């Protein structure tokens, strides 16, 4: 598998710096991109929802979601952070087990969890495209809140 051979979803043949100059590097980078895309899609959905429902009463005093740029991360329970790290370690171990030597037909991001049977080349392309948009969106959310000092979705429905 190489950049431009259309083996991987979202392959547009664009690697002008030749960063992924062999198939192992390309698979590693795509695995990271898929993971980041999935997290970004969850975050792009969860950020405005957290500002609307204020679950756990964690919003900053001006109604913004806690983040590195907004502050407020110290208010989040340490048990939660421990659970997040444990889940991340578990999930990463599952992915690495499949990638390195356990399956010959493994594609980056395919962990064998498809309860709806929706896996197809079209769905993989949609996932990576939506994930790329979500990565841009979550970056825009963080920058907008840091610059404007106001919430993305400034209506709290549960007041």
């Amino acid at each position: 598998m190489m950049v431009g051979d259309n083996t991987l979803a979202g392959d547009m043949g664009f690697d002008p710096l030749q960063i992924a100059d062999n198939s192992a590097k390309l698979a590693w980078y795509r695995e990271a991109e898929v993971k980041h895309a999935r997290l970004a899609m969850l975050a792009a959905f969860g950020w405005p929802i957290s500002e609307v429902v204020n679950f756990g009463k964690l919003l900053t005093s001006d109604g913004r979601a806690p983040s590195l740029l907004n502050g407020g991360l110290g208010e989040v329970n340490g048990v939660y952070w421990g659970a997040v790290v444990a889940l991340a370690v578990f999930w990463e171990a599952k992915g690495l087990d499949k990638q390195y030597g356990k399956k010959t037909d493994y594609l980056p991001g395919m962990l064998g969890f498809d309860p709806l049977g929706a896996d197809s080349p079209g769905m993989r392309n949609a996932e990576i495209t939506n994930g790329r948009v979500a990565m841009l969106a979550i970056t825009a959310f963080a920058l907008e809140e840091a610059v404007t000092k106001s919430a993305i979705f400034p209506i709290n429905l549960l007041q």
Side-chain angles (χ1 to χ4, degrees):
M1 128 180 69
M2 293 302 294
V3 172
D5 72 357
N6 293 321
T7 302
L8 298 177
D11 183 2
M12 306 297 179
F14 184 75
D15 187 15
L17 301 177
Q18 299 296 306
I19 294 171
D21 56 1
N22 63 53
S23 61
K25 272 189 191 176
L26 178 59
W28 179 261
Y29 291 143
R30 180 50 56 91
E31 184 77 29
E33 183 180 22
V34 168
K35 289 176 185 176
H36 284 88
R38 289 173 179 167
L39 285 173
M41 286 186 281
L42 289 171
F45 174 76
W47 189 304
I49 296 301
S50 72
E51 292 181 352
V52 171
V53 299
N54 194 12
F55 179 75
K57 307 289 185 243
L58 293 173
L59 297 180
T60 62
S61 60
D62 51 5
R64 297 181 292 161
S67 73
L68 187 61
L69 298 177
N70 295 341
L73 289 178
E75 304 299 319
V76 180
N77 190 323
V79 174
Y80 169 79
W81 290 122
V84 166
V85 169
L87 181 65
V89 167
F90 170 77
W91 202 258
E92 185 69 15
K94 296 282 285 182
L96 291 177
D97 279 350
K98 289 189 177 188
Q99 184 173 354
Y100 292 110
K102 302 277 194 297
K103 288 183 84 175
T104 57
D105 61 344
Y106 178 75
L107 288 173
M110 301 296 116
L111 297 177
F113 180 74
D114 186 20
L116 300 177
D119 184 33
S120 69
M123 289 299 283
R124 284 184 288 238
N125 275 325
E127 179 185 35
I128 202 70
T129 301
N130 289 326
R132 289 170 177 168
V133 170
M135 286 186 261
L136 294 172
I138 198 66
T139 301
F141 289 174
L143 289 174
E144 181 179 339
E145 285 198 358
V147 170
T148 65
K149 305 287 188 229
S150 65
I152 295 295
F153 201 95
I155 300 171
N156 187 338
L157 299 178
L158 301 178
Q159 288 182 349

